[in-house]
Amino acid sequence: MKVTPLSPASLMLLSALAAAPWSAHAGATVPFGDGQSVSVGFGMRASYTSMEDAAPNGTSRSNDFNLDSARLFFGAKLNKQIGGMLNTEWDGSQVRVLDAAGQFAIAPEFNIWAGRLLSPSDRANMAGPYYSLGGGYWAGVASRYGYNGGIFRGRDDGVVAWGNAADGKLGYSFGAFEGHTFGIASLTQNQAKAAGVKASDSLMYAGRVQYDFWDAEPGYYGTGNYLGSKDILAIGFAARQQSKGVLTAARTGDYSAWNIDFLLEKRVPGGAFSVEAAYYDYDTDGVIKSEQGKAYSAAAAYLFAAGAGKLQPFVRYQKFSPDTNIDTRQADAGLHYIIDGYNAQVSAVYSRTKVTSSPSLSKFAVALQLQY
């Protein structure tokens, strides 16, 4: 491999990056020539939350500040076709590997990624906490792919092929992954083996197909809302399946899940409005009934200019009905202040959650998001 010597400017930038503390100003791409480069970045979400009956005495509201997410992003390109990513995430007690994958860009219509990454799923999970409507992780009510699957934050070890055809309007992704992480009391393959559970070592297959009727959405990951930058009318379908994917000490069973999601976002004079909805069906072969059932979600938002930024009030409703007949419903109403797209935002959200046979609980949260 031919390595082009670094220019004095590049050497100075590398030295500065090595010496500088990680902050919102540490993001940069260092080119090496011949299509080679290294990039670094940073992201964080911090919040204040007040939740009903969540104080230590169990009867008054809690008051908590929390670092919800802190990420370092690293990327590298060997040439225009071969690259890789390594991203980390703070899990509340330590820094863990979030993504680590080799990336091969054969053509816009065909790419291969292999390693640890987010497997194909619904729009909400593919958008994640930094690119969803209102910001933050969805609460694992309706969209449960990142909640009950994967090694960490919905990521899993495997390989995926993906691409965008028809002028970028037809997107697809299909992959094979380790799986075996579906629900409370579900065991990984190694845990099941240590516990003496006998089951075949099958892979989890996951796929997604999406068509954009208006503007195209190129790329692998999704975005929950385009903040008025595009006109979107999209329908997506995602599914997962794994034979003997649900492993417990008592029983084993097949796992399958599928969903359909919809997003409409239209620019209008003075702003933009958006509507999204999704329906889900989860099946654990009757092994973990608390993760088996149907769910749906719906949300609406309106975006308009406000001084140097933009305001986006939104409402959202989610419901999960498992086969235990213990339903979970959550309604959110919030206001999003957008300073610089998804790089600088402040959001305020009021949520009310109701679980069957339990009293409703309310929560108010204010969150700050920064990325660079």
Side-chain angles (χ1 to χ4, degrees):
M1 178 185 71
K2 179 182 177 182
V3 178
T4 302
L6 292 175
S7 66
S10 296
L11 285 170
M12 291 177 63
L13 181 55
L14 276 176
S15 299
L17 288 173
W22 288 107
S23 68
H25 301 287
T29 296
V30 182
F32 290 86
D34 292 338
Q36 301 173 9
S37 66
V38 173
S39 62
V40 295
F42 162 82
M44 63 83 67
R45 285 186 58 84
S47 66
Y48 162 78
T49 302
S50 176
M51 184 178 294
E52 185 178 5
D53 297 337
N57 60 17
T59 58
S60 59
R61 299 189 70 90
S62 64
N63 291 280
D64 298 305
F65 286 97
N66 190 54
L67 179 62
D68 302 317
S69 175
R71 296 184 176 183
L72 295 177
F73 308 110
F74 302 92
K77 280 189 172 294
L78 181 64
N79 51 47
K80 291 182 178 180
Q81 287 75 41
I82 303 175
M85 63 176 173
L86 173 62
N87 304 319
T88 68
E89 169 74 294
W90 170 254
D91 72 355
S93 61
Q94 62 181 334
V95 175
R96 298 180 57 179
V97 172
L98 184 67
D99 306 283
Q103 301 168 310
F104 302 88
I106 293 95
E109 296 81 9
F110 187 68
N111 302 264
I112 296 176
W113 291 2
R116 180 167 297 181
L117 65 154
L118 195 65
S119 54
S121 55
D122 65 318
R123 178 182 290 272
N125 191 44
M126 299 301 285
Y130 285 82
Y131 294 91
S132 65
L133 176 65
Y137 284 107
W138 283 47
V141 178
S143 176
R144 307 181 78 77
Y145 292 115
Y147 171 75
N148 67 7
I151 297 169
F152 175 55
R153 297 285 193 262
R155 271 64 175 179
D156 207 346
D157 293 343
V159 59
V160 64
W162 67 272
N164 301 104
D167 295 326
K169 293 189 174 184
L170 177 62
Y172 77 90
S173 54
F174 178 79
F177 298 84
E178 279 293 302
H180 293 114
T181 50
F182 309 111
I184 299 171
S186 181
L187 306 175
T188 65
Q189 188 76 8
N190 289 337
Q191 290 170 339
K193 185 176 181 180
V197 177
K198 298 185 181 299
S200 60
D201 188 9
S202 57
L203 295 172
M204 182 190 76
Y205 299 99
R208 177 176 175 83
V209 178
Q210 177 181 310
Y211 189 78
D212 300 312
F213 293 90
W214 294 345
D215 290 344
E217 300 180 79
Y220 178 66
Y221 293 108
T223 296
N225 194 276
Y226 283 87
L227 306 179
S229 64
K230 288 188 175 186
D231 289 332
I232 299 295
L233 178 59
I235 296 178
F237 175 83
R240 291 178 172 180
Q241 191 278 330
Q242 185 171 28
S243 298
K244 301 303 179 185
V246 186
L247 307 178
T248 70
R251 293 178 57 194
T252 65
D254 298 337
Y255 172 81
S256 65
W258 65 269
N259 84 277
I260 185 168
D261 50 70
F262 164 85
L263 174 63
L264 183 152
E265 186 170 351
K266 180 65 177 175
R267 289 171 288 191
V268 297
F273 71 89
S274 59
V275 176
E276 63 176 285
Y279 174 82
Y280 303 84
D281 187 289
Y282 305 100
D283 189 346
T284 65
D285 209 8
V287 177
I288 304 177
K289 291 188 176 182
S290 62
E291 289 298 334
Q292 178 172 289
K294 305 182 187 306
Y296 66 85
S297 64
Y302 181 74
L303 180 79
F304 58 93
K310 298 177 181 178
L311 286 175
Q312 186 183 49
F314 66 91
V315 292
R316 179 170 55 215
Y317 181 78
Q318 303 176 74
K319 181 181 179 181
F320 175 48
S321 298
D323 288 356
T324 56
N325 296 318
I326 302 176
D327 296 353
T328 300
R329 301 176 178 86
Q330 180 168 310
D332 305 316
L335 182 63
H336 207 186
Y337 181 55
I338 300 158
I339 305 167
D340 181 14
Y342 285 104
N343 294 326
Q345 304 178 346
V346 178
S347 61
V349 184
Y350 175 80
S351 302
R352 195 158 190 87
T353 304
K354 170 66 176 175
V355 178
T356 300
S357 300
S358 299
S360 297
L361 291 177
S362 66
K363 179 177 72 174
F364 175 72
V366 178
L368 167 68
Q369 173 173 306
L370 296 173
Q371 289 191 101
Y372 188 67

